[in-house]
């Protein structure tokens, strides 16, 4: 993707799955025991530790693109296209090595400094049992701010970084504090919890983290502007990301008006397209799924609508997994795609423990 678009990317990973969900009761019974309703923070922390180890050990190194697996790709055309890309990438890196462009670079896993060829800068979703501001600054996790009791417990009043330098004063930066959610770097408000007078919006307006807002077809244009006024009254650039999730059949009806309304309000926002959560459908087998072609359709329409409205799409939110079984099948929850999966194959590795949400 970086090679094709020639723009620097920021990668944000909602890693470790949905390890907490709201329930009508705080506790549930499992056999003869009463336990907290669906909490698995240990699994989330363990998953993140695994990802951190992989990304800093050369697993994602651009020096070895030919080691990346294509076992799940059934389409000969897609396999051929990707092979051409990694061949060109490998040739470019080999040439750089030949002329000595990387002569003074020691791989990170051998004690060298971090660099763009050896590892990936990855913003990850993480729900730890305990967190520190130093962790946030260096590992930058992200997640939906859904469970307010959890988020509030990890909210701290902390010094605002570099405030004295930014305004040219010599005051002690410890005198200037703001509330930060220390469980994450970037949090977002879900489409179901964005009520203007709701607890989630009240919480989000009080923290200084960069935040996202999910925007669905039920969001009115004036409501969106009012929400921006609440969470970003000072119109701070970089504070708010709008994550649109309409569905391929509804994006044309809603996105243009949302773009025009936000532009007219003067609020600075980043736009991200979420083509996953508005495109859920039920297969003939009764399994909830998504079609890869529909996902691509919403992304393409989103790009077109932004261009037509003098705007720019700044990112895309996708859900995927690289897990394979012995037959080369990934988790089978979406039809189509590089696996050319049909509805009759959904049951091969359908691992959704809770229903896919639309």
């Amino acid at each position: 993707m970086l090679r094709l678009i020639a723009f620097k990317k920021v990668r944000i990973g909602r890693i470790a799955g949905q390890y907490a969900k709201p329930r009508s009761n705080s506790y549930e019974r499992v056999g003869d025991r009463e336990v907290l309703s669906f909490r698995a923070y240990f699994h989330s922390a363990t998953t993140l530790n695994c990802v951190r180890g992989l990304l800093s050990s050369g697993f994602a190194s651009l020096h070895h693109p030919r080691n990346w697996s294509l076992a799940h790709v059934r389409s000969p055309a897609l396999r051929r296209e990707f092979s051409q890309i990694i061949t060109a990438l490998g040739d470019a890196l080999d040439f750089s090595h030949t002329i000595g462009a990387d002569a003074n670079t020691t791989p990170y896993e051998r004690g060298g400094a971090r660099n763009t060829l050896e590892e990936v800068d990855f913003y990850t979703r993480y729900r730890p049992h305990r967190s520190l501001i130093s962790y946030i600054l260096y590992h930058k996790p992200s997640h939906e701010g859904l469970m307010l009791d959890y988020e509030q417990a990890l909210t701290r009043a902390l010094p605002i970084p570099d405030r004295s330098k930014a305004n040219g004063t010599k005051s002690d930066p410890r005198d200037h504090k703001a509330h930060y959610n220390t469980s994450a770097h970037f949090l977002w408000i879900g489409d179901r919890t964005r009520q203007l007078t709701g607890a989630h919006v009240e919480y989000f307006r009080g923290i200084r983290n960069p935040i996202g807002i999910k925007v669905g077809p039920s969001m009115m244009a004036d409501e969106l502007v009012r929400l921006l006024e609440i969470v970003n009254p000072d119109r701070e650039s970089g504070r708010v990301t709008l994550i649109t999730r309409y569905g391929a059949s509804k994006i044309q009806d809603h996105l243009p008006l949302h773009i025009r309304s936000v532009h007219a309000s003067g609020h600075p926002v980043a736009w991200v397209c979420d083509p996953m959560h508005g495109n859920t459908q039920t297969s003939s087998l009764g399994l909830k799924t998504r079609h890869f072609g529909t996902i691509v359709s919403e992304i393409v329409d989103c790009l077109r609508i932004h261009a037509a409205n003098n705007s720019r799409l700044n990112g895309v939110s996708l859900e995927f997994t690289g897990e394979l079984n012995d037959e080369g099948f990934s988790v089978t929850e979406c039809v189509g795609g590089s696996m050319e999966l049909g509805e009759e194959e959904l049951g091969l590795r359908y691992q959704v423990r809770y229903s896919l949400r639309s």
Side-chain angles (χ1 to χ4, degrees), residues 181-207:
N181 182 309
T182 63
S183 75
H185 172 80
F186 177 85
L187 300 97
W188 63 87
I189 306 173
D191 192 45
R192 293 172 172 83
T193 56
R194 54 167 174 73
Q195 293 78 17
L196 297 180
T197 58
H200 287 79
V201 171
E202 176 66 17
Y203 172 79
F204 270 75
R205 79 177 184 89
I207 59 173

Side-chain angles (χ1 to χ4, degrees), residues 14 53 63 84 98 107 143 148 167 182 228 232 259 329 341:
R14 190 176 177 273
H63 287 300
Q84 291 171 350
T98 299
H143 64 257
L148 287 184
N167 58 26
T182 63
L228 291 173
N232 192 22
I259 293 175
F329 283 103
L341 198 75

Side-chain angles (χ1 to χ4, degrees), residues 186 211-216 219-221 224-225 228 238 240-246 251 254-274 302-303 305-307 309-317:
F186 177 85
I211 64 171
I213 300 172
K214 285 290 186 82
V215 180
M219 173 81 85
M220 298 293 103
L224 176 55
V225 174
L228 291 173
V240 178
T241 297
L242 296 181
I243 309 169
T244 60
R245 36 91 76 220
Y246 306 105
I251 185 172
H254 300 281
L255 180 58
L257 181 56
H258 284 159
I259 293 175
R260 291 194 294 267
S261 298
V262 172
H263 282 187
S265 73
H267 275 280
V269 302
W271 294 92
V272 170
C273 174
D274 172 5
C302 196
L303 286 164
I305 292 170
H306 274 285
N309 287 274
N310 195 29
S311 179
R312 173 180 287 182
L313 179 64
N314 302 109
V316 178
S317 174

Side-chain angles (χ1 to χ4, degrees), residues 14-44:
R14 190 176 177 273
I15 297 296
Q18 188 83 50
Y19 283 135
K21 273 181 173 288
R23 291 288 186 266
S24 56
N25 295 316
S26 298
Y27 291 86
E28 59 183 288
R29 296 201 66 83
V30 178
D32 58 352
R33 294 187 303 154
E34 187 177 59
V35 298
L36 279 171
S37 296
F38 195 57
R39 302 289 192 275
Y41 299 136
F42 166 78
H43 294 84
S44 185

Side-chain angles (χ1 to χ4, degrees), residues 12-192:
I12 300 178
R14 190 176 177 273
I15 297 296
Q18 188 83 50
Y19 283 135
K21 273 181 173 288
R23 291 288 186 266
S24 56
N25 295 316
S26 298
Y27 291 86
E28 59 183 288
R29 296 201 66 83
V30 178
D32 58 352
R33 294 187 303 154
E34 187 177 59
V35 298
L36 279 171
S37 296
F38 195 57
R39 302 289 192 275
Y41 299 136
F42 166 78
H43 294 84
S44 185
T46 303
T47 301
L48 181 65
N49 285 335
C50 177
V51 172
R52 288 168 54 200
L54 288 174
L55 294 180
S56 61
S57 66
F59 179 81
S61 173
L62 291 179
H63 287 300
H64 311 292
R66 296 176 181 86
N67 293 342
W68 300 339
S69 173
L70 291 177
H72 64 287
V73 181
R74 293 184 181 180
S75 168
L78 287 176
R79 184 186 291 268
R80 184 165 55 252
E81 180 180 358
F82 187 80
S83 296
Q84 291 171 350
I85 292 174
I86 63 174
T87 296
L89 175 61
D91 290 345
L93 292 173
D94 289 344
F95 176 74
S96 298
H97 179 72
T98 299
I99 64 175
D102 60 351
N104 297 321
T105 301
T106 301
Y108 176 70
E109 63 269 26
R110 298 179 185 173
R114 297 175 182 269
N115 66 79
T116 56
L117 294 181
E118 299 295 338
E119 65 168 11
V120 174
D121 186 10
F122 199 52
Y123 291 63
T124 53
R125 172 190 183 275
Y126 180 42
R127 290 180 176 269
H129 182 69
R130 188 176 54 175
S131 185
L132 299 172
I133 190 64
S134 59
Y135 184 92
I136 301 304
L137 292 175
Y138 292 105
H139 297 290
K140 307 179 181 65
S142 59
H143 64 257
E144 179 182 352
L146 184 62
M147 311 298 291
L148 287 184
D149 54 347
Y150 174 80
E151 308 302 346
Q152 290 170 341
L154 289 169
T155 301
R156 304 285 188 273
L158 298 166
I160 299 175
D162 299 325
R163 183 183 178 92
S164 59
K165 294 181 180 179
N167 58 26
T169 66
K170 296 183 179 180
S171 60
D172 190 336
R174 291 174 295 182
D175 295 335
H176 305 283
K177 292 186 176 183
H179 286 93
Y180 289 86
N181 182 309
T182 63
S183 75
H185 172 80
F186 177 85
L187 300 97
W188 63 87
I189 306 173
D191 192 45
R192 293 172 172 83

